[in-house]
PDB file of all heavy atoms in Angstrom:
ATOM      1  N   ASN A 342     115.768 104.276 104.246  1.00 91.00           N
ATOM      2  CA  ASN A 342     116.005 105.659 104.664  1.00 91.00           C
ATOM      3  C   ASN A 342     117.453 106.017 104.355  1.00 91.00           C
ATOM      4  O   ASN A 342     118.362 105.301 104.757  1.00 91.00           O
ATOM      5  CB  ASN A 342     115.766 105.809 106.165  1.00 91.00           C
ATOM      6  CG  ASN A 342     114.288 105.763 106.500  1.00 91.00           C
ATOM      7  OD1 ASN A 342     113.606 106.774 106.465  1.00 91.00           O
ATOM      8  ND2 ASN A 342     113.787 104.577 106.796  1.00 91.00           N
ATOM      9  N   VAL A 343     117.637 107.116 103.624  1.00 91.00           N
ATOM     10  CA  VAL A 343     119.001 107.509 103.254  1.00 91.00           C
ATOM     11  C   VAL A 343     119.254 108.980 103.607  1.00 91.00           C
ATOM     12  O   VAL A 343     118.313 109.767 103.743  1.00 91.00           O
ATOM     13  CB  VAL A 343     119.250 107.302 101.736  1.00 91.00           C
ATOM     14  CG1 VAL A 343     119.208 105.827 101.371  1.00 91.00           C
ATOM     15  CG2 VAL A 343     118.251 108.097 100.900  1.00 91.00           C
ATOM     16  N   PHE A 344     120.547 109.316 103.755  1.00 90.00           N
ATOM     17  CA  PHE A 344     120.951 110.714 103.958  1.00 90.00           C
ATOM     18  C   PHE A 344     121.114 111.378 102.599  1.00 90.00           C
ATOM     19  O   PHE A 344     121.856 110.886 101.751  1.00 90.00           O
ATOM     20  CB  PHE A 344     122.318 110.791 104.667  1.00 90.00           C
ATOM     21  CG  PHE A 344     122.274 110.414 106.109  1.00 90.00           C
ATOM     22  CD1 PHE A 344     122.886 109.250 106.557  1.00 90.00           C
ATOM     23  CD2 PHE A 344     121.635 111.237 107.036  1.00 90.00           C
ATOM     24  CE1 PHE A 344     122.872 108.906 107.907  1.00 90.00           C
ATOM     25  CE2 PHE A 344     121.617 110.893 108.391  1.00 90.00           C
ATOM     26  CZ  PHE A 344     122.234 109.723 108.820  1.00 90.00           C
ATOM     27  N   LEU A 345     120.469 112.507 102.394  1.00 87.00           N
ATOM     28  CA  LEU A 345     120.731 113.290 101.183  1.00 87.00           C
ATOM     29  C   LEU A 345     122.018 114.084 101.407  1.00 87.00           C
ATOM     30  O   LEU A 345     122.543 114.127 102.529  1.00 87.00           O
ATOM     31  CB  LEU A 345     119.564 114.229 100.890  1.00 87.00           C
ATOM     32  CG  LEU A 345     118.219 113.538 100.616  1.00 87.00           C
ATOM     33  CD1 LEU A 345     117.154 114.586 100.325  1.00 87.00           C
ATOM     34  CD2 LEU A 345     118.341 112.556  99.458  1.00 87.00           C
ATOM     35  N   ALA A 346     122.489 114.746 100.338  1.00 84.00           N
ATOM     36  CA  ALA A 346     123.758 115.482 100.425  1.00 84.00           C
ATOM     37  C   ALA A 346     123.729 116.521 101.550  1.00 84.00           C
ATOM     38  O   ALA A 346     124.732 116.761 102.217  1.00 84.00           O
ATOM     39  CB  ALA A 346     124.044 116.145  99.092  1.00 84.00           C
ATOM     40  N   ASP A 347     122.552 117.132 101.778  1.00 83.00           N
ATOM     41  CA  ASP A 347     122.471 118.170 102.806  1.00 83.00           C
ATOM     42  C   ASP A 347     122.250 117.600 104.210  1.00 83.00           C
ATOM     43  O   ASP A 347     121.964 118.340 105.150  1.00 83.00           O
ATOM     44  CB  ASP A 347     121.347 119.165 102.455  1.00 83.00           C
ATOM     45  CG  ASP A 347     119.999 118.480 102.325  1.00 83.00           C
ATOM     46  OD1 ASP A 347     119.921 117.247 102.553  1.00 83.00           O
ATOM     47  OD2 ASP A 347     119.016 119.160 101.995  1.00 83.00           O
ATOM     48  N   GLY A 348     122.362 116.272 104.330  1.00 83.00           N
ATOM     49  CA  GLY A 348     122.235 115.663 105.657  1.00 83.00           C
ATOM     50  C   GLY A 348     120.806 115.316 106.033  1.00 83.00           C
ATOM     51  O   GLY A 348     120.565 114.667 107.052  1.00 83.00           O
ATOM     52  N   GLN A 349     119.858 115.755 105.207  1.00 84.00           N
ATOM     53  CA  GLN A 349     118.453 115.433 105.477  1.00 84.00           C
ATOM     54  C   GLN A 349     118.198 113.951 105.241  1.00 84.00           C
ATOM     55  O   GLN A 349     118.791 113.348 104.354  1.00 84.00           O
ATOM     56  CB  GLN A 349     117.550 116.239 104.533  1.00 84.00           C
ATOM     57  CG  GLN A 349     117.487 117.709 104.841  1.00 84.00           C
ATOM     58  CD  GLN A 349     116.573 117.998 106.026  1.00 84.00           C
ATOM     59  OE1 GLN A 349     115.859 117.126 106.489  1.00 84.00           O
ATOM     60  NE2 GLN A 349     116.621 119.230 106.502  1.00 84.00           N
ATOM     61  N   ILE A 350     117.299 113.396 106.034  1.00 86.00           N
ATOM     62  CA  ILE A 350     116.931 111.987 105.838  1.00 86.00           C
ATOM     63  C   ILE A 350     115.659 111.913 105.005  1.00 86.00           C
ATOM     64  O   ILE A 350     114.735 112.713 105.193  1.00 86.00           O
ATOM     65  CB  ILE A 350     116.685 111.299 107.194  1.00 86.00           C
ATOM     66  CG1 ILE A 350     117.986 111.302 108.011  1.00 86.00           C
ATOM     67  CG2 ILE A 350     116.182 109.877 106.994  1.00 86.00           C
ATOM     68  CD1 ILE A 350     117.814 110.812 109.435  1.00 86.00           C
ATOM     69  N   ILE A 351     115.654 110.981 104.071  1.00 88.00           N
ATOM     70  CA  ILE A 351     114.445 110.807 103.272  1.00 88.00           C
ATOM     71  C   ILE A 351     114.111 109.321 103.181  1.00 88.00           C
ATOM     72  O   ILE A 351     115.015 108.483 103.154  1.00 88.00           O
ATOM     73  CB  ILE A 351     114.631 111.418 101.862  1.00 88.00           C
ATOM     74  CG1 ILE A 351     113.324 111.346 101.082  1.00 88.00           C
ATOM     75  CG2 ILE A 351     115.730 110.741 101.083  1.00 88.00           C
ATOM     76  CD1 ILE A 351     113.393 112.040  99.745  1.00 88.00           C
ATOM     77  N   GLU A 352     112.823 109.029 103.171  1.00 90.00           N
ATOM     78  CA  GLU A 352     112.411 107.632 103.014  1.00 90.00           C
ATOM     79  C   GLU A 352     112.052 107.377 101.558  1.00 90.00           C
ATOM     80  O   GLU A 352     111.325 108.148 100.947  1.00 90.00           O
ATOM     81  CB  GLU A 352     111.208 107.306 103.904  1.00 90.00           C
ATOM     82  CG  GLU A 352     110.747 105.863 103.719  1.00 90.00           C
ATOM     83  CD  GLU A 352     109.677 105.423 104.710  1.00 90.00           C
ATOM     84  OE1 GLU A 352     109.925 105.511 105.931  1.00 90.00           O
ATOM     85  OE2 GLU A 352     108.606 104.983 104.257  1.00 90.00           O
ATOM     86  N   ILE A 353     112.603 106.296 101.019  1.00 93.00           N
ATOM     87  CA  ILE A 353     112.288 105.923  99.641  1.00 93.00           C
ATOM     88  C   ILE A 353     111.644 104.544  99.654  1.00 93.00           C
ATOM     89  O   ILE A 353     112.110 103.636 100.340  1.00 93.00           O
ATOM     90  CB  ILE A 353     113.569 105.923  98.773  1.00 93.00           C
ATOM     91  CG1 ILE A 353     114.130 107.351  98.714  1.00 93.00           C
ATOM     92  CG2 ILE A 353     113.271 105.405  97.368  1.00 93.00           C
ATOM     93  CD1 ILE A 353     115.454 107.476  97.999  1.00 93.00           C
ATOM     94  N   GLN A 354     110.535 104.425  98.917  1.00 94.00           N
ATOM     95  CA  GLN A 354     109.833 103.142  98.848  1.00 94.00           C
ATOM     96  C   GLN A 354     109.965 102.590  97.437  1.00 94.00           C
ATOM     97  O   GLN A 354     109.811 103.342  96.474  1.00 94.00           O
ATOM     98  CB  GLN A 354     108.361 103.325  99.210  1.00 94.00           C
ATOM     99  CG  GLN A 354     108.187 103.940 100.589  1.00 94.00           C
ATOM    100  CD  GLN A 354     106.749 104.369 100.876  1.00 94.00           C
ATOM    101  OE1 GLN A 354     105.877 104.276 100.021  1.00 94.00           O
ATOM    102  NE2 GLN A 354     106.525 104.839 102.091  1.00 94.00           N
ATOM    103  N   ILE A 355     110.251 101.320  97.343  1.00 96.00           N
ATOM    104  CA  ILE A 355     110.454 100.710  96.027  1.00 96.00           C
ATOM    105  C   ILE A 355     109.501  99.531  95.866  1.00 96.00           C
ATOM    106  O   ILE A 355     109.411  98.682  96.755  1.00 96.00           O
ATOM    107  CB  ILE A 355     111.912 100.231  95.877  1.00 96.00           C
ATOM    108  CG1 ILE A 355     112.876 101.381  96.210  1.00 96.00           C
ATOM    109  CG2 ILE A 355     112.161  99.728  94.451  1.00 96.00           C
ATOM    110  CD1 ILE A 355     114.320 100.964  96.316  1.00 96.00           C
ATOM    111  N   ARG A 356     108.784  99.522  94.767  1.00 95.00           N
ATOM    112  CA  ARG A 356     107.801  98.455  94.550  1.00 95.00           C
ATOM    113  C   ARG A 356     107.475  98.318  93.068  1.00 95.00           C
ATOM    114  O   ARG A 356     107.791  99.209  92.284  1.00 95.00           O
ATOM    115  CB  ARG A 356     106.518  98.776  95.325  1.00 95.00           C
ATOM    116  CG  ARG A 356     106.009 100.182  95.070  1.00 95.00           C
ATOM    117  CD  ARG A 356     104.670 100.468  95.708  1.00 95.00           C
ATOM    118  NE  ARG A 356     104.757 100.851  97.098  1.00 95.00           N
ATOM    119  CZ  ARG A 356     103.890 101.680  97.701  1.00 95.00           C
ATOM    120  NH1 ARG A 356     102.890 102.198  97.008  1.00 95.00           N
ATOM    121  NH2 ARG A 356     104.017 101.985  98.967  1.00 95.00           N
ATOM    122  N   THR A 357     106.857  97.215  92.687  1.00 94.00           N
ATOM    123  CA  THR A 357     106.433  97.060  91.294  1.00 94.00           C
ATOM    124  C   THR A 357     105.097  97.785  91.099  1.00 94.00           C
ATOM    125  O   THR A 357     104.427  98.133  92.068  1.00 94.00           O
ATOM    126  CB  THR A 357     106.222  95.574  90.922  1.00 94.00           C
ATOM    127  OG1 THR A 357     105.154  95.064  91.729  1.00 94.00           O
ATOM    128  CG2 THR A 357     107.474  94.751  91.159  1.00 94.00           C
ATOM    129  N   GLU A 358     104.707  97.948  89.832  1.00 90.00           N
ATOM    130  CA  GLU A 358     103.402  98.551  89.513  1.00 90.00           C
ATOM    131  C   GLU A 358     102.279  97.822  90.247  1.00 90.00           C
ATOM    132  O   GLU A 358     101.374  98.443  90.792  1.00 90.00           O
ATOM    133  CB  GLU A 358     103.093  98.434  88.006  1.00 90.00           C
ATOM    134  CG  GLU A 358     103.753  99.453  87.109  1.00 90.00           C
ATOM    135  CD  GLU A 358     103.311 100.902  87.316  1.00 90.00           C
ATOM    136  OE1 GLU A 358     102.292 101.158  88.005  1.00 90.00           O
ATOM    137  OE2 GLU A 358     104.011 101.787  86.782  1.00 90.00           O
TER     138      GLU A 358
END
Side-chain angles (χ1 to χ4, degrees):
N342 287 273
V343 294
F344 288 112
L345 298 181
D347 58 3
Q349 289 282 350
I350 297 172
I351 185 175
E352 178 172 303
I353 296 175
Q354 303 169 356
I355 308 170
R356 50 174 83 149
T357 63
E358 280 295 347

